[in-house]
Amino acid sequence: MQTLAQDLLQQNQHRPERLLAILHGVQDHHRYIPDAAMKQIAKGLNIPWTQVLAVVEFYNFYHTTPRGEYDILISDSITDRMLGNQAVIDRISQRLNVAPGKVRPDGQVSLDTTSCTGLCDQGPAALINGWAIPQMDDRVDQLCELIEQRRPMADWPAALFQVQDNIQRTGLLLDKTIDPGQAISQALTQGADAMLQAVDQSGLRGRGGAGFKTAMKWRFCREENTDQRYVLCNADEGEPGTFKDRVLLNRYAEQVFEGMTCAGLTIGASQGVLYLRGEYRFLLAALHDTLARRRAAGLLGDNIQGSGQAFDIEICLGAGAYICGEESALIESLEGKPGIPRNRPPYPVTHGYLGKPTVVNNVETFLAAAHIAAYGAEGFAALGTKQSKGTKILSVCGDCARPGIYEVPFGTSIAEVLKACGADNAAGAQIGGPSGTYIDQREFNRKLAFEDLATGGSFMVFNASRNVLDTVDNFTHFFNHESCGFCTPCRVGTALLRKQLEKIVSGHGSAGDVVELEALCQVIKQNSHCGLGQTAANPILSTLERYPELYQQQLKKISYEPGFDLDAALATARRMANRDDAGAHLAQIDEEH
Ligand SMILES: Cc1cc2nc3c(=O)[nH]c(=O)nc-3n(C[C@H](O)[C@H](O)[C@H](O)COP(=O)(O)O)c2cc1C
Ligand code: SF4
């Protein structure tokens, strides 16, 4: 009899680059990846089984021991915390009698936290068996009942899974949408050279954060002498606080696919892949439907709009690893490997997916490219600033009355965004996610632009009641958790950062510890292999610069205290000796005495 693994291998044509899809099938069925399945998969793909094991161990959504029949993961971004995710965890834990981080002994339920799920505008959010559920605070009782009754998830009320788009402000791209095929026919009529020129004249720069010029990337790829090129859409959107790509793929998928197709026609690629973060699995079915519709309409396939040119798009579902948003890690992941960033150069434009020249762009970049193909470069280039043309789509969340999506021209000030979203008493804002910049009230006139505050879209608002150090602590944990472990400065450094920060925040640090913390930040920043490590210290560095007094207030008045609390560790010995007098304690030497 054919096993599940064999079925999945067959469905995925025994292609090693489909390993993630095969493992998703096994994980969904067994709630973990059994050794026997790993061995069968390795044999079927003709790769060592240790390679399969390495992939299973790398991604957060695969497991080597069974998860609960109902596997509950609570989103743990700072905004989920602000919206009360701890109370949700406590209530579920109590009601279902399951300890956080554990599988209940009968195997019916497991409970844990996960990095930001991209629902920061409607948290606290959860994933249950991989399916997103927003606003958990209102739903704990209902959900626990369904689990206690062992109701299959397919029978759960659809309203539980209803994710809102929360589009609060539209602009050039979201207002002036295009009909299916409109941009493609323009791209075909004007030809690849003119299309490239339009993208160049528009001034479009990548919306994933780094802001590389899109036309230049496309040109480099097009100029490579090769038999195959690829277009990859980066929908791994894992930066805490970012969720605009979720909305774009839910509401504007036609336009995103249209942009990918225009890119393919321009650079001479016949295959595209959308890499969708695992947390957005709920978008998958509708995206496949959209692709099928476009194929039927001749907008994808072997002969696009009768031009004789071919281009098609596949979707690959990620498996819970923030690092896979880094473009070379994304390519590794697409090839069915752990998402470890490659050495660069060579860059993907020359050596990318399957070793071929590859363009990787963000979802919003493709949306903008479709607009430029359909309507020309002028309208786009007329908006924004000198170095940042067009509009930026922001994901706004945190302490504001109207969280959601805002499309604003580049050059818009932070104060304007705060006003628009109803953040009346904002004390600070984190621009560009944890790897970005924390700014306070004194800087609210700064502008969103590559020449001032660059952002992939994350815009988190904090009012005066929030403790800045809690935010820094959450971000530092995030980087440590998401470090891929490949290079020592980041793997070890982010763990040390976390510990050192905890020591200070918990009131056990001295002035020397702050000096050491800052030195550690510099070591990680300067020696890490990729952007994750290079920016992991930003939350600490940017708050140390703005709020030294906050760190100062936490310090003990001692010259040095080891990270290990010896006195606390001797508590058991004291209990055994039945002593708790002053002589049984180790005293710290206070500088004032
Ligand atoms: C740790 C890390 C995570 C990233 N995550 C994303 C992401 O989720 N989405 C994205 O488009 N770019 C992300 N990037 C940037 C990509 O490496 C790449 O620059 C981008 O996809 C290029 O597209 P663009 O030119 O359209 O911006 C990330 C970079 C790093 C270092
Ligand atoms: S910097 Fe961190 S995430 Fe990047 S390669 Fe090194 S360990 Fe991996």
Side-chain angles (χ1 to χ4, degrees), residues 323 341 482-487 490-491 528-534:
I323 189 58
E482 296 298 335
S483 165
C484 81
F486 169 74
C487 68
C490 172
R491 183 184 66 250
S528 289
H529 174 66
C530 84
L532 187 151
Q534 287 153 14

Side-chain angles (χ1 to χ4, degrees), residues 294-329:
R294 291 181 68 82
R295 258 176 228 122
L299 301 175
L300 286 173
D302 288 341
N303 185 16
I304 292 177
Q305 288 193 338
S307 65
Q309 296 196 61
F311 188 76
D312 213 325
I313 298 174
E314 283 184 13
I315 303 177
C316 171
L317 190 65
Y322 163 68
I323 189 58
C324 291
E326 194 281 337
E327 61 185 7
S328 68

Side-chain angles (χ1 to χ4, degrees), residues 325-333 339-344 348 360:
E326 194 281 337
E327 61 185 7
S328 68
L330 182 143
I331 291 171
E332 287 284 297
S333 181
I340 294 172
R342 293 178 176 174
N343 284 330
R344 300 176 337 149
V360 185

Side-chain angles (χ1 to χ4, degrees), residues 419-441:
K419 187 160 180 256
C421 71
D424 296 335
N425 45 21
Q430 180 76 25
I431 312 298
S435 59
T437 314
Y438 186 92
I439 60 159
D440 66 22
Q441 282 164 327

